[in-house]
Structures are given as C-alpha cells and as structure tokens.
Amino acid sequence: MRQNPSFAMTDVGEIRRLIDLNPWVTLVSQTDDGLVASHYAVMLDDTRDDLTIVGHVGKPDDAILGLGERDLLVVVQGPHGYITPRWYGDVPAVPTWNFVSAHLSGIPELLSPDENLRVLERLVDRFEGDGGDARGLYRLPNDAAFVERLERGTVGFRLTPTRVTAKRKLSQNRTAEVVETIIAGLADEGPERAPLVTEMRRAADARVRP
C-alpha cells in the first residue's frame, strides 16, 4: 500500500482499534505458484500490547500459505466508501474513495495445540457473546474429544509484524467545513454508512483537538 504522509496512521492504539473492530482479514502469501490469499478472522494477542495478532487457518489453506515458512501479509480493511464531488462545493473536483486500512507483514510463529485451542475458544467466545444461549466451544453437545479433533484440522499462528503500513484517508486534505459537509452527506445516505461516518468524525475531532 502506497503511503502518503498526510494520511499515515502511526498510533499503535489506533491500529489496534482498527484490527479489533475489523477482524475479518485477508491473508496473502507468495508461493512458487504465485500469490495466494485466504480470508479468516484474527484477534489481537491478549498477552501483548503491541500489534501482535493470533488466528488460525484450516490445514488445506496452510498447505498453500506455508505459514511459518515465508512472509505473510495480513490486510485489515476498515470502513470505506465513495465520496461524491458534490460535497466539495462549486469547484473543479473528481470523486474519491475514503478508507481506513492496515497492512501487517512478517513470518508468523506456529502455535502449539494448547495455544491454538485457547485462541479458538477466545474466537468463539468473542463472536458468540455472553447470552444465555451462546454456544461456547466446549458447550454441549460439544465435548473435549470433539474440540480436539477440530483443532487437529487447523493451524494456529501468532504474527508479530515486522512491517506495518496503516493509512487513514478521510478527507484530511479538505477544509473543516468541507469535511463536515461530507460527514453530513454520508449520514444522510443511511445506516450502512455509519462506520465510515464514525471514523470521519473521529479523525475530524482529532484534527481540531489542541
């Protein structure tokens, strides 16, 4: 991802927030047969306060990704959307696309079966929630033997990235008045634009904060 100093996102806390809110990522690896990509959910490593992530892939995907053998690129895609030039006023302008994204890369470490089980359990718990009918990984009719068989079909990994490129392109090159017009226009387009509105409001507030 080409970086632009005006849009660079370097704050670790903000990148962690991006990963936490957008766990469905793209995993990209270069192989002898060319580039391959898979899609999985990841989480921040809860034992670290940096950008280390943990996750798993199915063994068939590991066979092509080669986890632990070569660089892995993890693409985190946050909110994004089309920005019409109508919101810029009566000036020459073209459309653009606002977005928040991060690329994390490095050679991942493979997890032991016990570590992988813990990550799988955390993953299920996160997305199941804590409702009375939540199906935790070990909740009946699942039992330990079933879960262990499941684990053997996956490969867990931990990635502490050695290269990070994060970008928040949210009209920072426009005046505060134009940014407010864009935010209002996006909000008027409906609830599906809410995540991008939230990110633009966050960036705009940071811009005016002393």
Side-chain angles (χ1 to χ4, degrees):
M1 178 167 58
R2 181 181 62 83
Q3 190 53 280
N4 180 322
S6 299
F7 303 136
M9 184 164 59
T10 58
D11 184 88
V12 170
E14 284 296 288
I15 302 172
R16 283 175 59 87
R17 175 178 169 273
L18 175 68
I19 296 167
D20 190 54
L21 291 175
N22 301 278
W24 187 249
V25 302
T26 302
L27 310 176
V28 183
S29 181
Q30 174 69 56
T31 74
D32 292 340
D33 296 322
L35 290 171
V36 295
S38 298
H39 307 274
Y40 282 89
V42 300
M43 296 180 296
L44 292 163
D45 187 333
D46 63 352
T47 69
R48 307 277 293 271
D49 58 5
D50 57 8
L51 297 177
T52 299
I53 58 173
V54 291
H56 75 281
V57 303
K59 283 195 171 178
D61 279 321
D62 179 53
I64 61 172
L65 288 168
L67 294 182
E69 300 173 6
R70 57 181 74 99
D71 268 355
L72 180 72
L73 170 64
V74 180
V75 180
V76 184
Q77 182 62 68
H80 59 91
Y82 176 80
I83 306 299
T84 172
R86 300 191 310 272
W87 294 331
Y88 298 151
D90 190 19
V91 296
V94 294
T96 190
W97 204 275
N98 277 359
F99 65 90
V100 186
S101 187
H103 291 184
L104 316 175
S105 58
I107 300 177
E109 163 198 356
L110 299 187
L111 299 182
S112 70
D114 285 346
E115 289 175 311
N116 191 26
L117 279 170
R118 180 174 179 274
V119 169
L120 291 170
E121 186 172 17
R122 278 189 62 213
L123 189 70
V124 173
D125 286 348
R126 167 164 182 189
F127 294 107
E128 275 292 313
D130 55 5
D133 61 346
R135 281 284 299 268
L137 188 63
Y138 289 95
R139 183 162 179 174
L140 293 174
N142 295 0
D143 59 19
F146 170 82
V147 173
E148 288 168 8
R149 288 196 302 273
L150 175 72
E151 186 279 329
R152 289 196 292 271
T154 69
V155 176
F157 68 91
R158 175 183 292 108
L159 175 66
T160 300
T162 54
R163 292 180 302 281
V164 177
T165 305
K167 193 169 182 178
R168 178 162 48 191
K169 180 182 174 292
L170 298 172
S171 301
Q172 297 98 318
N173 57 332
R174 298 288 173 175
T175 66
E177 292 75 18
V178 169
V179 170
E180 291 300 326
T181 300
I182 295 170
I183 291 173
L186 288 168
D188 286 344
E189 289 186 346
E192 69 277 3
R193 294 287 212 160
L196 183 56
V197 168
T198 297
E199 292 303 317
M200 287 202 64
R201 169 54 60 206
R202 188 179 181 87
D205 290 347
R207 182 179 180 180
V208 300
R209 195 176 299 136

